[in-house]
Amino acid sequence: MIKAVRGMKDILPPETARWQWMETVARAVFQRYGYQEIRLPLLERTELFQRSIGASTDIVEKEMYTFLDRRGESLTLRPEATAGVVRAFIENRLDQGAEVKKLYTIGPMFRYERPQKGRYRQFHQINGEALGGEAPEVDAELILLVLDIFQQLGLTDLELLINSLGCPVCRPAYLLELTALLARQVRDLCEDCQRRSASNPLRVFDCKSKVCQELLLQVPTMADHLCDDCVAHDRRVRELLDRYQVSYRQQPRLVRGLDYYTRTAFEVVSTRLGAQDAVAGGGRYNGLIKELGGPDLPAVGFAIGEERLAALLSDQDEAGDRPRLLFVAALGPAALDKSFDLVQGLRRQGCQVDMDFGQRSLKAQMTMANRRGAAFVLILGDQELAAGRGLLKDMASGTQQEVSLTDLAAIRAALGDKGV
Ligand code: HAM
């Protein structure tokens, strides 16, 4: 048997109904906030990710699916969407006009991480990017959008963590200070952090080692070193969140796994997710569009991890489509022939109807209907056929009524709200 690749999983029915629901809700919220969909290739040139995510990040150093194509060009399966959105924004000249370009995309991402609960090698993101807006209102609007998606899905027990990572005015001086401080304690740091302290010092704050965590408690954070403009930006973002009674925790040690962030950085976490507790993450990335060869425009964005979102929703009763099914149980060849027409006619009227062609017993077909979660079963044998009337059974209440086989509108009416 050939199995799926490690860390990549099939999303099967009825779980797919939950995914459709999550994505429908997200699309509706995006639309309300003026976002338009963009669909991008899964493959990009490797250099795009090296230059955007950062050459010394875990993602680029060890997690990318990179290969040479037949002409020897290095390509990479996208580990995230932002780089591709920015590439497309520049390449297609979407920067025309002064308005903020708000784009969203939903789809699979690939990271060669060690698989565990909530962490996969192919996973999916609901991703939003607002390009071309400097104002702190854009950050606040984007965070409100993310929280609206969660709220619309009925998730209220999440926590928003927020930080500012500074800008090219204030960060370099802080990084110098941090590097010097870490160099002094380098022997006490774990192996990873020893490496990071020279190549990408901010990343040490993400270390899970207790010893490093302890040490880092003594180290000043970026939040203590922000320039006046960054302080004002951060304050205004939080002021707007306060206005909408958004509760958040300022987390001065929050850093992100991608290097492109400036100023606002945030994550949405849940205690119900275990070790991989972030269901969404994002922030501002003012230098990236220019870095990738485009105009000097600011931007901010986020991504929600769909596997983690689905896990949070798994104990919730979503608007799945299972309860609405009408199953037609045909007994005998003549009834099967008539049922085929009936099913087709009802489908064309917008009903969700199905049947089986295996000419099985009534008992077997009732079992099938139950397994499918049918709300109704219409029973059709020779006797019913002769009388031109079938027996419609409501599976929840167990009540039965006769319905005319020629009057599809009456059948639809009998199905009531649950039918269409
Ligand atoms: P990220 O924090 O790397 O940010 O990923 C965002 C979310 O994707 C995470 O919070 C998590 O829910 C989910 N995720 C990440 N890796 C995995 C994995 N291996 N398995 C399952 N879920 C995962 C970004 O990707 C940025 N591009 C977000 C962004 C957009 N920033 C600005 N614009």
Side-chain angles (χ1 to χ4, degrees):
M1 181 180 49
I2 299 173
K3 290 192 173 167
V5 175
R6 184 165 135 82
M8 308 201 175
K9 63 168 188 163
D10 304 312
I11 304 161
L12 305 171
E15 172 73 3
T16 36
R18 178 174 295 120
W19 282 64
Q20 288 173 3
W21 177 56
M22 290 177 343
E23 292 175 1
T24 304
V25 167
R27 284 175 194 281
V29 175
F30 274 125
Q31 193 161 20
R32 250 179 270 157
Y33 279 77
Y35 278 69
Q36 290 176 301
E37 185 176 11
I38 180 167
R39 297 193 186 203
L40 300 167
L42 303 189
L43 275 178
E44 298 276 2
R45 287 170 216 275
T46 304
E47 187 195 356
L48 175 70
F49 302 115
Q50 288 167 337
R51 275 177 50 192
S52 55
I53 298 170
S56 58
T57 55
D58 282 356
I59 296 181
V60 171
E61 275 183 350
K62 48 189 185 197
E63 294 172 4
M64 294 204 305
Y65 280 91
T66 297
F67 63 95
L68 297 180
D69 75 2
R70 289 174 192 278
R71 293 190 50 206
E73 183 167 17
S74 181
L75 301 179
T76 294
L77 273 171
R78 64 179 186 191
E80 58 114 43
T82 312
V85 172
V86 172
R87 198 256 322 128
F89 175 81
I90 300 169
E91 188 174 340
N92 298 291
R93 303 297 315 265
L94 301 183
D95 61 310
Q96 305 301 306
E99 73 276 17
V100 178
K101 292 287 176 326
K102 300 193 224 180
L103 302 168
Y104 79 86
T105 193
I106 300 177
M109 311 292 154
F110 304 84
R111 294 184 194 174
Y112 194 83
E113 293 191 85
R114 197 170 53 78
Q116 63 180 85
K117 182 170 171 271
R119 193 159 77 188
Y120 306 97
R121 290 182 172 173
Q122 173 172 333
F123 60 98
H124 299 76
Q125 285 184 347
I126 295 168
N127 193 95
E129 313 287 348
L131 304 117
E134 171 79 72
E137 285 77 4
V138 185
D139 309 41
E141 182 190 70
L142 180 111
I143 294 173
L144 290 171
L145 182 164
V146 177
L147 299 178
D148 261 7
I149 294 178
F150 291 129
Q151 205 234 331
Q152 294 280 309
L153 292 168
L155 290 171
T156 49
D157 60 344
L158 304 176
E159 193 180 16
L160 171 65
L161 308 177
I162 188 161
N163 191 21
S164 174
L165 296 174
C167 72
V169 172
C170 50
R171 193 156 56 192
Y174 168 70
L175 288 183
L176 276 180
E177 187 183 330
L178 179 63
T179 311
L181 272 171
L182 294 173
R184 248 177 274 157
Q185 318 200 15
V186 75
R187 261 177 288 137
D188 301 325
L189 296 171
C190 75
E191 223 173 277
D192 273 347
C193 284
Q194 291 190 0
R195 200 168 35 84
R196 288 180 190 133
S197 64
S199 63
N200 197 350
L202 268 188
R203 294 290 310 142
V204 298
F205 287 108
D206 235 5
C207 183
K208 301 278 180 284
S209 135
K210 280 241 151 47
V211 182
C212 294
Q213 288 291 341
E214 196 90 338
L215 261 171
L216 289 168
L217 285 179
Q218 327 295 330
V219 172
T221 61
M222 185 66 238
D224 306 320
H225 291 70
L226 296 177
C227 61
D228 291 348
D229 285 349
C230 282
V231 168
H233 187 97
D234 180 53
R235 192 174 294 146
R236 175 68 177 154
V237 173
R238 287 185 294 103
E239 191 180 285
L240 286 164
L241 296 180
D242 290 337
R243 190 185 292 178
Y244 290 92
Q245 280 94 43
V246 171
S247 61
Y248 55 83
R249 187 149 56 90
Q250 281 180 273
Q251 174 65 279
R253 287 182 172 71
L254 173 75
V255 290
R256 307 262 305 121
L258 309 98
D259 278 355
Y260 48 59
Y261 293 105
T262 55
R263 294 194 170 161
T264 313
F266 66 92
E267 283 185 357
V268 181
V269 297
S270 166
T271 49
R272 287 197 280 138
L273 285 173
Q276 304 302 319
D277 64 350
V279 63
R284 184 164 272 287
Y285 51 95
N286 285 351
L288 184 59
I289 301 175
K290 183 156 182 250
E291 168 61 31
L292 292 177
D296 190 4
L297 287 173
V300 56
F302 75 92
I304 298 174
E306 291 193 83
E307 281 75 6
R308 295 184 196 174
L309 182 57
L312 289 172
L313 293 170
S314 62
D315 41 357
Q316 232 141 316
D317 198 9
E318 79 281 4
D321 59 357
R322 285 175 60 207
R324 299 176 356 191
L325 178 72
L326 165 66
F327 191 88
V328 177
L331 303 167
L336 187 142
D337 187 64
K338 172 69 191 164
S339 296
F340 193 95
D341 281 348
L342 199 65
V343 165
Q344 224 27 47
L346 283 165
R347 283 177 181 156
R348 292 198 167 145
Q349 294 204 0
C351 295
Q352 194 190 133
V353 199
D354 212 351
M355 66 178 290
D356 174 67
F357 305 123
Q359 306 218 24
R360 288 167 227 274
S361 68
L362 179 60
K363 188 163 166 246
Q365 293 196 57
M366 291 307 279
T367 305
M368 236 179 231
N370 266 322
R371 281 173 54 94
R372 294 281 303 274
F376 294 92
V377 176
L378 179 63
I379 301 163
L380 209 63
D382 287 342
Q383 241 178 336
E384 286 81 11
L385 204 58
R389 302 181 75 78
L391 203 56
L392 184 70
K393 182 169 178 173
D394 183 325
M395 298 296 273
S397 63
T399 54
Q400 300 191 11
Q401 60 174 304
E402 278 199 353
V403 288
S404 159
L405 296 178
T406 46
D407 190 354
L408 297 190
I411 299 180
R412 277 186 61 184
L415 301 177
D417 294 344
K418 285 189 262 178
V420 186

